Amino acid sequence: MKNFYLPILLFLCICTVAEAQESRFLHHTRERTNLILISTGVGMNFDFLHTGGENGLTALADRKTGFPVVDFRLEHFFSKRWGWFADIKLGIPLRYSRNNGSELAKSLEADYYVDNLVFERERPGVSPCMATGVAYRIENSRWAIYPRLGIGVNNVSYQSVYLDLKKKGGNELYTIRYDADNDYGESNMDVFILSVGMSVNYKLAKYCYLVFNAAFAQPIGKRSSIEYQKKDLYTNEIVERRLYKTSTLGRDINISLGVGIPIYFGRGIKTGKGGTTRKERMRGIMEQKRESYGLFPTTKKKIIRR
């Protein structure tokens, strides 16, 4: 449960520190209440799957720790500070850490004739991760910071294991499957996540900025699971069954660098040291003039004395 609250606490800390520095950070800025940001970047994804112990699921899903990622993000700020975001990241794992099907087949060759139906070393498929939620807005004339917190789905692939066995010196026939409901080939699993991240933008031109992005995904909800089955092919009876579970499938951190474009709606509002806008200062000046000269500047207000 404490892992669930960690991203929320991190998001609140970032917003609190930013709020404390707001008056200094937003000095002499031109803000636009309605703003859309579209960005894309490339970087690296680091998988934090816990692989200790004899867990069949983590062994099948263990990918090379770091692999490339491409991200696309849309952010819409409808007020001075708050907005929403939607992003999608495409992880491109290069390989699995182990070939579990071949390792299991070799361990059984002493007692069985083994037919490994997935004999080639599998390559992980593209792993999409989608999230949406709220974003906070901190800007000055060149720099901008956008902390965000949301929920989403992380799609994680794992290896398939399909073995047919014939007992040496006997007629027993068995089949071994992991996640037997799926067909042959690579499998994948959707994991619900809590996502916390932050973008740091640097303005290169009026309609172009450089963006550095970092995001952390924490699985939420029930633990991910997979079932191992050993079945007798004559009787179709399951002679051995195991259930493997983990709460860390889909936990990762990704870091990327890219570019983006802003789309502005409405007129900019210039703010000064006191936090007042130009429009507010002009209104105050006009009110002072009306008190002294009346409705029209050329008509001096008459003062009636008794």
Side-chain angles (χ1 to χ4, degrees), residues 252-264:
D252 57 38
I253 292 178
N254 69 83
I255 300 172
S256 64
L257 186 67
V259 295
I261 58 172
I263 302 175
Y264 301 105

Side-chain angles (χ1 to χ4, degrees), residues 84-139:
W84 61 272
F85 78 93
D87 68 10
I88 179 170
K89 295 183 287 289
L90 301 177
I92 310 173
L94 302 178
R95 62 181 179 86
Y96 290 109
S97 297
R98 300 161 52 188
N99 189 340
N100 289 274
S102 296
E103 291 180 8
L104 180 59
K106 289 180 180 179
S107 66
L108 296 172
E109 287 178 349
D111 300 318
Y112 297 93
Y113 297 106
V114 182
D115 184 10
N116 186 358
L117 302 180
V118 188
F119 58 89
E120 294 183 355
R121 185 180 181 88
E122 295 182 69
R123 295 189 61 183
V126 174
S127 298
C129 178
M130 296 170 286
T132 185
V134 297
Y136 190 72
R137 180 180 182 183
I138 311 157
E139 298 173 334

